[in-house]
Amino acid sequence: MKMIRRRRVHRGSRPGCAARADRADHARRTGIRVQVAGEGALVVEYPGGIGPRTYGQVRRLDVALQRHQTLGRLPAGVQEWVPAYRSVTVYFDPLAARPAAIRAWLRQVAASVPGGPPPAGRVVTIPVCYGGEYGPDLADVSRSAGLAAEEVIRLHASARYRVYMLGFMPGFAYLGGLPPQIACPRLPTPRAAVPAGSVGIAGHQTGLYSLQSPGGWRIIGRTPVRLWDPRRNPPALLAPGDEIRFQRVTVQEFARLSPVPEEQSPADSTGPPPRNGGPVHAGHGPGAPVRDGGPAILVEAPGMLTTVQDLGRPGWQRYGIPPGGALDPFALRAANLLAGNPEDAAGLEITWIGPRLRFLAPAVIALAGADLGATLDGTPLPPYRAVAVRRGSMLRFGKPREGVRAYLAVRGGIGVPPVLGSRSTYLRAGLGGLAGRALKKGDLLPIQAPPPAARQTPPPPSRPAASRSAGACGPCREAPAPPARETLAPRPGLAGVPSFSGAGVPPGGEAATPIRVVLGPQAHLFTAESIRRFLDGTYTITPASDRMGCRLQGPRLQHRRGADVISDAVPAGSTQVAGDGQPIVMLADRQTTGGYTKIATVIAADLPVLAQLAPGAAVRWQAVAPEQAVAALREREAELARFRISVPGAAKTAAAASGDRGESARPGKSHSTGPARIGSREIERILRALARTDITFLEWQAGQWRLRITRASRRPDVLS
């Protein structure tokens, strides 16, 4: 008895060793692995390949997580999860939850899931017209299988399929259950455009194209059913776990079942401007039109790529929709703070070559992020400064100086209709923004009414005002801005650029920018030499980079067993390596699932820095632990909090946006960029803002006053 008792005490005295032993024992018994994918995602992976047994385990875990969500038992910070062929990837906020706690909870849930067949999903019958113009690759599949075309159709239509996952594009369904006799490889050269509704075969999979897109699957038929409609909730017709049955129809039946053309929706109203050259109203279609004379911005030239973006639409990844949003969210949030908006208000993301914008009404604007050489009516307009512009003013952009993506915030926000909870533009699916596309000449962007806290600042001037500080615009005046530029902690060598901004490297800079990564989740599928080469080498950003991914060129990486893996979720920052051995860092508009090995994940704090680098810029990777990635993100948020405190009225606007009615409203009176006066109300405002952060110590100086606050005492110590 003493030996047993001592053993128990010994195990209890070393909880870390016991926990590791328990995890190892659990992995041996169940075969389940929980892998890290950056600081904000964990991948629960089951053993086995693509098949009903493995997917049954995935499906049961998916249902268990849904049950926890329904009962309100999800741990704080868990945001969403994405089921795939043999894995479930869980996304969480690393600032609101400890990764170790989420990992332990996931293991507990996975271990408690009962065995047996997976829970039944819906049974959905999909009509399909095979062959002819609807199935141009039917003959190829027939030759590959050595079967008559009619036999291929019979086999395909008689099988029962299961939706294993949605990905590649919004609503694209990957189906298991294809008869092995008709398995066929992908096309050697993908098509530039595959029609929506197409039914394809790729290897031992069959799939349904929800939208027109490029694709390399063998197309054997097409369905008239609308698989994707952003006006539905959820917008995807199919969901993981559904059972699919195909029903063969004739060409005549296909025409009869095809939906009647409807009025264009925000997702597909992508037509050109009117022939008379007049402006395209942002409310074209179901959105509210801009009223004549209402506050709006006229696009006189669109620039290289200018889109409406906010902080994205999380929560839809299981349907194939990435969160999207601004590639440099810190810069957008800073611009909104300066303009007097909530941090998630919609603004313009301006890439490399900026647009030419005319303001048809007085407005308060702010630029943040890259310095693209902006001028207002010919006078330089530096970033990180809020200004009030008069009606008729013209905003132009010149040669990029620092970074490649600038963010324009307008007080009130860009008032395009929200789609699936966000105004962000998702170009690949034509979602959100202005008709789901980049700006065009003649577009008219509506400006929303400003938030209540921002309305109390004086209106913009109706005539030119004298310049109040160096660099101020002639036809505008300074709006409330940070009281002291030096309090923004600019990076060394970058005048006035806050350290949380990604606009850190001048275009064409020769020095390699360090980008931090967390290795995995599939680093073990690369040779040890490739890991060393990846971390020691220098990579160059190629011109093929876009909002979906940052493509790089550098030392070639080698896989242990090929570049392909069983498709799983793709978190932001995932660094995929295809067969050519070159890495691609997946960004905001990435596909939600993919089948390439992921050697590492760029940390969230450094993704904006990467997004601000121009083609030709060099980067080098620095491996860090997930805990270091969380600490870096926490520091970025702390820097933004210090910036928020320095912007007059920002805390009040944030409180109003979140429904906080506890703070009395006072009209702002100062339009100066000099040091602000500190009084009891200002101290209270600072404390309210600090309470929403994890800052433990802050020292802030303005003029002759120095404010020092520590969280331990919760009391400000004001020193003269």
Side-chain angles (χ1 to χ4, degrees):
M1 289 297 292
K2 289 183 179 179
M3 291 180 60
I4 295 175
R5 190 174 295 115
R6 285 174 185 168
R7 184 178 302 170
R8 287 176 178 171
V9 171
H10 177 70
R11 290 185 61 188
S13 65
R14 300 181 63 190
C17 293
R20 284 193 293 271
D22 289 344
R23 288 198 297 267
D25 181 61
H26 181 269
R28 282 193 299 269
R29 286 186 292 101
T30 64
I32 299 173
R33 292 194 301 176
V34 180
Q35 301 184 95
V36 173
E39 72 273 34
L42 291 170
V43 184
V44 181
E45 186 177 281
Y46 290 91
I50 299 175
R53 180 176 180 180
T54 302
Y55 184 70
Q57 295 175 294
V58 170
R59 175 67 177 150
R60 287 192 290 271
L61 177 58
D62 182 26
V63 171
L65 292 175
Q66 292 181 47
R67 188 179 302 115
H68 276 73
Q69 184 180 46
T70 301
L71 298 176
R73 295 177 181 171
L74 290 179
V78 173
Q79 297 166 327
E80 57 179 316
W81 58 92
V82 178
Y85 282 120
R86 65 167 183 173
S87 64
V88 177
T89 300
V90 177
Y91 294 93
F92 59 93
D93 180 359
L95 299 182
R98 292 188 303 110
I102 300 297
R103 180 194 287 266
W105 173 76
L106 276 175
R107 288 188 178 279
Q108 181 182 11
V109 174
S112 64
V113 171
R122 301 176 305 162
V123 177
V124 183
T125 300
I126 304 292
V128 176
C129 184
Y130 290 94
E133 64 173 302
Y134 300 129
D137 298 323
L138 179 61
D140 292 342
V141 176
S142 176
R143 282 191 295 269
S144 175
L147 299 170
E150 283 297 319
E151 181 63 10
V152 171
I153 294 172
R154 187 192 68 79
L155 286 170
H156 190 270
S158 62
R160 295 292 178 265
Y161 302 89
R162 180 77 64 180
V163 178
Y164 279 179
M165 66 178 186
L166 302 181
F168 174 55
M169 70 180 70
F172 184 98
Y174 290 84
L175 310 182
L178 181 75
Q181 305 97 302
I182 58 175
C184 189
R186 288 176 169 86
L187 293 170
T189 303
R191 288 185 173 88
V194 177
S198 294
V199 181
I201 291 176
H204 291 271
Q205 306 171 100
T206 190
L208 294 168
Y209 281 77
S210 51
L211 297 168
Q212 177 175 301
S213 76
W217 293 41
R218 305 272 182 172
I219 306 303
I220 63 172
R222 195 187 307 171
T223 177
V225 173
R226 192 188 298 272
L227 300 170
W228 171 263
D229 188 343
R231 293 165 294 191
R232 287 193 303 240
N233 189 8
L237 175 66
L238 305 176
D242 287 349
E243 181 180 321
I244 305 301
R245 301 176 182 179
F246 291 121
Q247 179 182 7
R248 185 180 183 181
V249 297
T250 64
V251 174
Q252 293 77 16
E253 290 172 318
F254 182 96
R256 180 176 57 82
L257 293 172
S258 296
V260 177
E262 300 175 12
E263 184 182 4
Q264 288 182 316
S265 71
D268 59 15
S269 54
T270 57
R275 293 183 181 177
N276 62 9
V280 177
H281 288 187
H284 180 66
V290 178
R291 293 175 297 183
D292 292 340
I297 304 171
L298 175 64
V299 180
E300 295 199 353
M304 183 177 182
L305 178 66
T306 306
T307 57
V308 178
Q309 300 293 342
D310 56 21
L311 297 183
R313 50 175 63 83
W316 297 95
Q317 292 192 74
R318 68 184 292 115
Y319 298 105
I321 309 169
L327 290 183
D328 187 347
F330 292 104
L332 175 62
R333 292 165 68 185
N336 275 321
L337 286 170
L338 287 166
N341 292 335
E343 293 177 30
D344 60 352
L348 294 183
E349 181 179 87
I350 301 164
T351 306
W352 194 248
I353 299 174
R356 191 166 70 246
L357 306 173
R358 185 174 297 280
F359 292 85
L360 305 185
V364 175
I365 66 172
L367 284 168
D371 184 349
L372 302 184
T375 61
L376 192 62
D377 291 336
T379 304
L381 177 61
Y384 296 95
R385 180 169 299 169
V387 297
V389 301
R390 63 175 182 171
R391 179 173 182 169
S393 290
M394 175 72 75
L395 178 64
R396 302 171 186 260
F397 293 84
K399 183 179 179 181
R401 298 168 182 167
E402 294 170 350
V404 297
R405 290 182 170 91
Y407 293 85
L408 174 65
V410 184
R411 181 167 294 180
I414 304 297
V416 294
V419 178
L420 302 179
S422 170
R423 293 180 168 87
S424 279
T425 308
Y426 178 30
L427 296 170
R428 194 179 187 199
L431 277 179
L434 189 62
R437 56 166 172 78
L439 300 190
K440 292 182 178 180
K441 179 180 179 180
D443 284 342
L444 200 61
L445 292 166
I447 302 174
Q448 293 193 113
R455 289 178 196 156
Q456 295 158 8
T457 59
S462 57
R463 53 190 174 86
S467 173
R468 301 199 177 207
S469 65
C473 302
C476 64
R477 69 178 181 185
E478 295 278 354
R485 298 290 298 175
E486 62 270 19
T487 63
L488 303 185
R491 274 203 195 96
L494 297 177
V497 179
S499 59
F500 58 75
S501 171
V505 177
E510 296 180 0
T513 301
I515 301 293
R516 290 166 289 185
V517 299
V518 175
L519 290 176
Q522 285 132 12
H524 61 284
L525 298 181
F526 293 83
T527 64
E529 173 62 21
S530 287
I531 298 293
R532 185 196 63 76
R533 197 178 299 149
F534 175 74
L535 295 176
D536 293 346
T538 298
Y539 287 82
T540 303
I541 297 175
T542 73
S545 302
D546 55 18
R547 281 185 51 85
M548 285 186 62
C550 181
R551 295 176 177 268
L552 300 116
Q553 189 76 32
R556 192 177 187 277
L557 306 177
Q558 273 191 317
H559 305 83
R560 292 183 182 275
R561 296 187 301 272
D564 294 348
V565 294
I566 295 176
S567 294
D568 59 2
V570 179
S574 294
T575 307
Q576 296 184 339
V577 182
D580 63 359
Q582 299 301 321
I584 306 172
V585 179
M586 309 307 290
L587 301 178
D589 283 358
R590 68 197 181 275
Q591 59 195 58
T592 58
T593 60
Y596 290 128
T597 49
K598 295 176 280 292
I599 191 171
T601 305
V602 175
I603 70 172
D606 284 1
L607 273 175
V609 179
L610 185 65
Q612 289 286 7
L613 298 178
V619 301
R620 55 183 173 82
W621 313 110
Q622 178 185 350
V624 298
E627 296 77 14
Q628 293 172 291
V630 175
L633 182 59
R634 199 179 300 279
E635 175 57 27
R636 285 282 190 266
E637 290 292 339
E639 289 178 307
L640 187 65
R642 291 193 286 271
F643 181 83
R644 185 184 299 118
I645 292 169
S646 71
V647 179
K652 187 184 299 183
T653 301
S658 62
D660 184 0
R661 300 290 186 267
E663 185 173 351
S664 60
R666 277 181 74 211
K669 295 183 179 180
S670 174
H671 285 253
S672 170
T673 57
R677 295 179 179 176
I678 297 181
S680 60
R681 288 185 179 274
E682 284 71 22
I683 292 174
E684 181 182 358
R685 198 171 298 157
I686 290 170
L687 291 174
R688 284 181 179 274
L690 281 175
R692 300 184 179 91
T693 74
D694 294 308
I695 295 175
T696 57
F697 174 81
L698 173 67
E699 185 170 324
W700 183 66
Q701 184 170 354
Q704 61 179 336
W705 294 96
R706 185 166 74 251
L707 177 68
R708 188 166 59 198
I709 301 173
T710 59
R711 186 172 288 276
S713 64
R714 304 267 180 168
R715 292 180 299 177
D717 182 13
V718 182
L719 305 177
S720 59

